[in-house]
Amino acid sequence: MTGEEEQKKGEGKGFAGLSSLVSDVDTTLLLSAKTEPAAAAPGAGRPAPQSQPAQPQPQPQPSQHQTYQEPAQPPSSGSSGGKWILGIAAVIGLLWLIGQSNKNTTSPAPAYSPPAQSTAPSYTPPPQPQAPSRPVETKPPVGQDLVLSREQIRYCLAEDIRIDGAKSALNNYTDVDVDRFNAMVADYNSRCSSFKYQTNNRGRNDLNSSQRDIEPFRSQLQSEGRSRFDRSPSTGSLSVPEPSRPAPDATVQAIQRKLIELGYDAGTADGLMGRGTRSAVIAFQQDRGLAATGEADQALLLQLQRSPSRPNATLTTPSASSSPAALATAPAPQPPPQSNGVPDFSRASASEQASIESVCGVHKRVSGPADYYRCQQTELTKLSNSGGQPDLSRASASEQASIESVCGVHKRVSGPADYYRCQQTELTKLSNSGGQPDLSRASASEQASIESVCGVHKRVSGPADYYRCQQTELTKLSNSGGQPDLSRASASEQASIESVCGVHKRVSGPADYYRCQQTELTKLSNSGGQPDLSRASASERASIESVCGVHKRVSGPADYYNCLRGELNKLTYR
């Protein structure tokens, strides 16, 4: 019995190993089944989807370990392989159940969307009426009697208002301000003093339409003009920067190049109409026997292109030998600098020394004494070769004042030599101008109008150009037929005509002023007079006046009456 018991114990140990293997598989299945709720925990409380039927989970049979009794014999290989197959199938089924559980737990829960809340109605203010846009302006080219477009006419009218505004803010005791203002006026007159515009019998009038465009912005334009000379209340200096350099003009630039080719001193061909260019134009016109107008326009360019180059051409700047002072004294030799570097000023007058200091003083402050002395020496050399100050005794007091107004800037910024050269140039032009024309046949108002147009030339161009402008206006006046008869026009009609034509009296002269008056009278006689407003109520008349009042100020009484008639017709057929 002892041998049999030992044999049974040995066999039991071998089966226990297989039982442990099965038990291990069963234990793994049970642990996996415990993790199932943990994996499904995030979806707790959610209704189970109906589309997935519940899968039966294999449960281990604990009775297998307790009731199973096998006779003590070696196990067959078939029963062991079957248990392995069952274990693998159980693992695969458990993995499939876990995958289905994860698929259910990862399905997004339906989001809760609260009902849309009704928003309280918000108040939207009505759109505000927009201010009228500023009409486009285009600067016209330099020239006289050119046909200007509406944009160019608008510039002329707007610039006239801006200049009036600038004049009210101008400090007449500051040379810089006066020079800037004179330059603005000179540029304006070179472009807008005399121009032509298009009209037809269908009511087109570019000047009147441009006046209607500009008039609503009068206060804004005047403010812009005043701002050119506004000053800081604390420092008293200009609160706006200096005006930018004007844009070059292609016609002026071509004229400058041609003048230089022909040997005239027109300065640099930069397209800007300056005093040097004007002097060269006048010299060319005088050499060709033409009217010395000094205007740089297309007609002058055509004449220049037809002119052959002058043999041995020399610059037309007056030489020192032509001045009376140069005939009396020979040019002084160049003063050598002293050993300490300071030039010898003993031969320069007090005013010449002050002029040189005005030019060179900046070098002493920003460049050092060496450049300061070099500048002084340069100015002394130029002065010794200039021939000295020309004789102004034959010029009247007003002519001398005009020459000083033109050339004084050279004394402050260019030195005494350039100052004397400018004076000599103006004297030469004056001697060739024929003197001041006779204004005695013009009335006081006509003389005032001519002075308003030409006065700027006296300040920025010299007495010769001033006299030439006066002669031009007198010639136009003699050909205009005089002032038209306004006696048949009512007081309000005369005031309307004056409002329209007054600008011509200030910037174009009496001839254009009379021509404008005659045009408005002709239009008035053809308009049929003022329409009858008695059938309109007081509020309707006020509304019509609000619409048509601007025509009375900028277009004249005829256009004003036509506007009234048009509004009455619209009121009748409403």
Side-chain angles (χ1 to χ4, degrees), residues 307-329:
S307 299
S309 300
R310 297 190 303 180
N312 300 326
T314 58
L315 297 181
T316 60
T317 303
S319 62
S321 59
S322 62
S323 64
L327 297 176
T329 58

Side-chain angles (χ1 to χ4, degrees), residues 87-412:
I88 292 172
V91 171
I92 293 174
L94 181 60
L95 293 176
W96 182 81
L97 288 175
I98 292 173
Q100 293 297 322
S101 175
N102 289 336
K103 189 179 296 183
N104 293 334
T105 57
T106 57
S107 61
Y112 171 72
S113 300
Q117 299 293 333
S118 60
T119 59
S122 59
Y123 170 72
T124 302
Q128 298 294 330
Q130 296 183 353
S133 58
R134 179 83 167 264
V136 178
E137 302 173 17
T138 302
K139 182 181 290 188
V142 176
Q144 300 292 321
D145 297 328
L146 302 178
V147 179
L148 302 187
S149 65
R150 291 184 181 179
E151 292 79 7
Q152 293 169 339
I153 297 173
R154 290 190 199 121
Y155 169 84
C156 292
L157 298 175
E159 186 66 9
D160 176 59
I161 298 174
R162 284 190 286 262
I163 289 176
D164 283 343
K167 187 175 181 180
S168 63
L170 173 66
N171 185 353
N172 293 320
Y173 298 97
T174 303
D175 291 337
V176 176
D177 285 9
V178 173
D179 291 340
R180 284 186 57 206
F181 181 78
N182 290 340
M184 286 190 293
V185 176
D187 181 75
Y188 174 83
N189 285 334
S190 68
R191 304 173 190 275
C192 304
S193 62
S194 178
F195 61 86
K196 297 177 181 178
Y197 54 95
Q198 295 184 357
T199 60
N200 57 32
N201 55 6
R202 293 190 296 272
R204 175 174 179 176
N205 189 312
D206 286 357
L207 178 61
N208 291 342
S209 62
S210 300
Q211 287 174 332
R212 286 194 298 269
D213 294 340
I214 292 298
E215 187 63 26
F217 301 93
R218 173 175 289 273
S219 59
Q220 181 180 350
L221 294 169
Q222 288 177 338
S223 177
E224 291 177 3
R226 289 190 297 269
S227 66
R228 295 180 180 180
F229 293 95
D230 281 347
R231 297 181 174 272
S232 171
S234 58
T235 63
S237 60
L238 290 176
S239 60
V240 293
E242 291 289 329
S244 59
R245 181 181 178 90
D249 186 274
T251 301
V252 174
Q253 191 172 31
I255 289 173
Q256 290 170 331
R257 290 172 180 168
K258 193 62 181 177
L259 286 170
I260 294 172
E261 291 177 5
L262 295 177
Y264 294 92
D265 184 12
T268 304
D270 53 6
L272 303 177
M273 187 65 181
R275 185 180 56 82
T277 302
R278 190 181 300 276
S279 299
V281 169
I282 293 174
F284 168 78
Q285 291 171 332
Q286 291 174 344
D287 290 345
R288 297 300 189 275
L290 305 172
T293 61
E295 301 297 338
D297 50 19
Q298 290 290 341
L300 175 66
L301 179 59
L302 183 61
Q303 293 170 346
L304 286 167
Q305 292 171 346
R306 294 174 178 174
S307 299
S309 300
R310 297 190 303 180
N312 300 326
T314 58
L315 297 181
T316 60
T317 303
S319 62
S321 59
S322 62
S323 64
L327 297 176
T329 58
Q334 175 179 342
Q338 296 181 2
S339 59
N340 59 359
V342 181
D344 180 14
F345 283 89
S346 60
R347 299 186 208 180
S349 65
S351 63
E352 292 169 345
Q353 293 181 28
S355 175
I356 293 175
E357 181 63 26
S358 176
V359 174
C360 300
V362 65
H363 293 284
K364 182 165 58 176
R365 296 189 296 271
V366 302
S367 303
D371 287 344
Y372 173 58
Y373 295 150
R374 187 177 298 110
C375 175
Q376 288 180 323
Q377 185 59 58
T378 300
E379 292 301 322
L380 284 173
T381 301
K382 288 166 56 179
L383 179 60
S384 65
N385 296 328
S386 69
Q389 186 171 17
D391 182 14
L392 300 178
S393 60
R394 288 180 290 179
S396 65
S398 63
E399 292 168 344
Q400 292 182 26
S402 175
I403 293 175
E404 182 63 25
S405 176
V406 174
C407 300
V409 65
H410 292 283
K411 184 163 57 176
R412 297 189 296 272

Side-chain angles (χ1 to χ4, degrees), residues 533-554:
L533 301 178
S534 60
R535 289 181 293 175
S537 65
S539 62
E540 291 170 343
R541 289 197 297 269
S543 176
I544 293 174
E545 181 63 27
S546 175
V547 173
C548 300
V550 65
H551 292 282
K552 184 162 55 176
R553 297 189 298 272
V554 301

